[in-house]
Amino acid sequence: DIEQESERLARITENLLRLTRLDSGALPEAQMVDIATVIARVVRMLRLVAEEKQVDLSYEIRREGKTLASEDELNEIIYNLTENAIKYNRPGGFVRVALAGDEETCLLTVSDNGVGIPEEDMPRIFDRFYRVDKARSRESGGTGLGLSIAREIVQRHHGTITLAPHEGPGTTVRLELPITQPAPGAPEDTAESTSDQQ
């Protein structure tokens, strides 16, 4: 119990420090990141977690894609989305991570057939500290910060993160990132429209 609580407090501290850096406007140096490589690493890291939950975890690269971003931040987003899909699933469930896109955009989806998100909670799941099921989140170590951090990082990279239409039980999160970023000082129409949508 002490070990689990220590891990939970460590995650809270890491998330709060990350939010502080985001609020200060400090952005890590960007580089061209191979998203497929990050996905493969995240799936490998979470394979044991999925096996313990008896959840089938897999990924599919439909189109190779790179984006100008911080690899650590991109890893954090994909890890968080995939871990959530595993944690809030059921024995015998599945989690699918897929990468697609075109010449201008990388499209990442994380789909599962878990417990899903109630419709009334959907507008707020990207809010800071918001948790769909507070008791369940506390048991699993949730802080209500992961998705809000993901959204802020994605917006700073001129992308979007949304809940996609999903048939049957479960959830699909859709993440879109441009392959290149606007030049410094260029109009940020994409970022502004993303904020308005959220």
Side-chain angles (χ1 to χ4, degrees):
D1 290 344
I2 293 174
E3 182 179 359
Q4 290 178 354
E5 185 65 13
S6 298
E7 291 176 355
R8 188 179 74 86
L9 292 173
R11 283 194 295 270
I12 293 174
T13 302
E14 290 171 3
N15 284 333
L16 289 173
L17 288 173
R18 190 170 289 110
L19 280 178
T20 300
R21 289 194 294 269
L22 288 171
D23 288 343
S24 69
L27 289 175
E29 184 177 350
Q31 58 186 354
M32 291 306 294
V33 180
D34 184 346
I35 301 179
T37 300
V38 178
I39 291 173
R41 181 169 64 242
V42 167
V43 170
R44 185 171 63 251
M45 293 172 64
L46 289 172
R47 182 76 68 189
L48 183 59
V49 177
E51 290 176 355
E52 290 176 348
K53 287 277 294 185
Q54 300 178 45
V55 172
D56 180 52
L57 173 62
S58 64
Y59 71 97
E60 178 184 4
I61 307 301
R62 300 169 187 164
R63 182 187 180 97
E64 296 288 341
K66 294 185 178 182
T67 185
L68 186 62
S70 160
E71 184 168 348
D72 287 342
E73 289 187 337
L74 192 58
N75 185 91
E76 172 69 19
I77 293 171
I78 298 174
Y79 188 97
N80 181 271
L81 295 178
T82 307
E83 185 185 36
N84 278 350
I86 295 170
K87 285 196 302 186
Y88 302 125
N89 213 312
R90 303 183 178 92
F94 68 78
V95 174
R96 304 280 184 266
V97 184
L99 177 63
D102 53 33
E103 288 77 12
E104 297 182 354
T105 306
C106 294
L107 171 61
L108 173 77
T109 56
V110 180
S111 304
D112 67 78
N113 63 341
V115 297
I117 300 172
E119 187 174 352
E120 63 270 18
D121 291 304
M122 289 183 180
R124 297 194 59 193
I125 64 163
F126 293 104
D127 293 351
R128 292 185 181 186
F129 299 105
Y130 187 77
R131 295 181 295 188
V132 174
D133 185 331
K134 296 177 176 57
R136 183 186 66 187
S137 297
R138 190 176 297 110
E139 290 175 1
S140 59
T143 62
L145 289 173
L147 289 178
S148 65
I149 289 174
R151 182 182 67 174
E152 293 193 33
I153 292 174
V154 169
Q155 288 181 342
R156 288 173 186 267
H157 286 88
H158 311 283
T160 61
I161 181 169
T162 58
L163 291 179
H166 184 96
E167 294 184 5
T171 304
T172 294
V173 180
R174 177 187 177 100
L175 168 63
E176 291 188 64
L177 285 170
I179 291 178
T180 58
Q181 302 291 325
E188 298 186 359
D189 293 339
T190 303
E192 290 177 1
S193 63
T194 300
S195 300
D196 292 340
Q197 291 174 3
Q198 298 296 342

